[in-house]
Amino acid sequence: MSDQNRLGVFKTYKLYVGGKFPRSESGRVYEVTDSKGAWLANAPKSSRKDARDAVVAARKAFGGWSGATAYNRGQVLYRVAEMLEGRKDQFVREVAASEGLSKSKAAAVVDTAIDRWVWYAGWTDKIGQISGGANPVAGPFFNLSTPEPTGVVAVLAPQKSSLLGLVSVIAPVIATGNTAVVIASADAPLPALSLGEVLATSDVPGGVVNILSGVTAELAAPLAAHQDVNAIDLTGADTALAKELEIAAADNLKRVLRPQPVDADGASDSAAWSASPGTHRLTAFLETKTVWHPTGALGAAGSSY
């Protein structure tokens, strides 16, 4: 049968929550269009209930993920890069349509997004060396500071960088042992929803990353006020929304990562995200635990260790 005589199979996009692919519990969807206004797909319009379900899934997954070795987390993140590499053509099409890029520019964005997973995979077992260490103290004690993950992190993905910016905010959160509830770009959610399919086949335990699509403000408000969310990344919020969410987040002393210059004034496109990410997002959602331990005397001479 020729291609002219067959019906196309349209992709059904779903949320990614707890390792599964539910539709929104509200049953709502909204139209996603390309940069020229042409229809691309219907995306789930998540509700507050979906956001709460995602937090429950993230909390359930936190113990196992934070308790895994940093080396193992690095292996898992590298596996994400492998799987994304295998589906590169699909993501090139989705990024090109979502961001209005040529095929060659979209391919460069996807390549950088893959490389970004590899970058953070390499940092999982090294970030502790630069954010912790032995502290000099005046006394017969060891004093050691070590970084630990904060917990469940709500992440507002960049609005314009549908894949590279998305990866740049998700990867450092989970690389350091946190779990994430991610609100995808409202206007360009398709690469994010497809990323959920990659994560599901990449050894990432269910619930470590949960991806919601819909109206950013509608979903961010309950997450900022949620008592079981430990931190929030406001990357995808405009100035007014960021202020409201920061006030709500103060109720249970959430860690807050304010929008960075790369996100401001509509400049959060993929080109702006292509620079070397550094380590500031890795350390943004880490807590420092300091342990004191007395030294002991060895032998009659009174030497100690």
Side-chain angles (χ1 to χ4, degrees):
M1 182 182 294
S2 68
D3 290 342
Q4 293 179 344
N5 295 327
R6 67 180 296 271
L7 294 175
V9 179
F10 291 102
K11 181 177 176 64
T12 300
Y13 288 90
K14 297 183 181 180
L15 308 177
Y16 182 56
V17 177
K20 299 179 180 180
F21 296 94
R23 292 178 169 85
S24 172
E25 63 84 27
S26 67
R28 301 179 302 170
V29 297
Y30 69 103
E31 291 188 356
V32 178
T33 60
D34 64 15
S35 58
K36 297 180 180 179
W39 180 86
L40 293 174
N42 289 336
K45 192 173 185 180
S46 304
S47 67
R48 290 170 177 254
K49 175 64 163 55
D50 292 316
R52 293 195 297 270
D53 289 345
V55 174
V56 171
R59 176 58 62 193
K60 184 177 180 180
F62 177 70
W65 184 244
S66 62
T69 65
Y71 178 73
N72 178 247
R73 288 198 297 270
Q75 289 178 308
V76 172
L77 265 66
Y78 188 83
R79 179 63 174 166
V80 176
E82 288 183 9
M83 300 302 290
L84 191 54
E85 181 83 27
R87 296 179 61 169
K88 184 187 298 185
D89 290 346
Q90 173 194 347
F91 280 91
V92 169
R93 292 193 301 271
E94 290 182 344
V95 169
S98 296
E99 301 182 24
L101 301 177
S102 67
K103 184 177 180 180
S104 61
K105 289 183 178 180
V109 169
V110 175
D111 285 342
T112 305
I114 295 169
D115 295 345
R116 186 90 6 123
W117 281 112
V118 177
W119 163 274
Y120 282 114
W123 271 106
T124 56
D125 58 355
K126 300 174 183 67
I127 190 64
Q129 308 304 311
I130 66 170
S131 60
N135 307 311
V137 293
F141 304 100
F142 292 125
N143 184 265
L144 305 174
S145 293
T146 57
E148 293 190 341
T150 297
V152 176
V153 181
V155 179
L156 279 61
Q159 295 298 327
K160 296 186 180 296
S161 184
S162 62
L163 181 64
L164 178 54
L166 174 79
V167 170
S168 298
V169 296
I170 294 177
V173 169
I174 66 172
T176 47
N178 299 286
T179 55
V181 176
V182 182
I183 305 175
S185 164
D187 293 331
L190 303 188
L193 298 177
S194 291
L195 182 64
E197 299 171 3
V198 171
L199 297 173
T201 55
S202 301
D203 301 328
V204 180
V208 170
V209 178
N210 306 274
I211 300 176
L212 307 173
S213 57
V215 180
T216 300
E218 181 180 333
L219 297 171
L223 291 176
H226 201 298
Q227 296 298 298
D228 205 24
V229 173
N230 304 106
I232 187 167
D233 181 347
L234 299 177
T235 294
D238 60 28
T239 302
L241 179 59
K243 183 177 180 180
E244 293 177 11
L245 297 177
E246 191 167 358
I247 292 172
D251 192 47
N252 73 332
L253 304 180
K254 289 180 179 64
R255 278 182 172 266
V256 175
L257 182 62
R258 295 182 175 93
Q260 304 298 302
V262 69
D263 317 314
D265 301 323
S268 54
D269 57 16
S270 293
W273 284 97
S274 62
S276 176
T279 60
H280 73 282
R281 287 188 176 273
L282 287 165
T283 57
F285 303 116
L286 287 173
E287 308 289 341
T288 300
K289 178 179 73 175
T290 299
V291 177
W292 294 72
H293 192 285
T295 60
L298 297 177
S303 60
S304 62
Y305 66 88

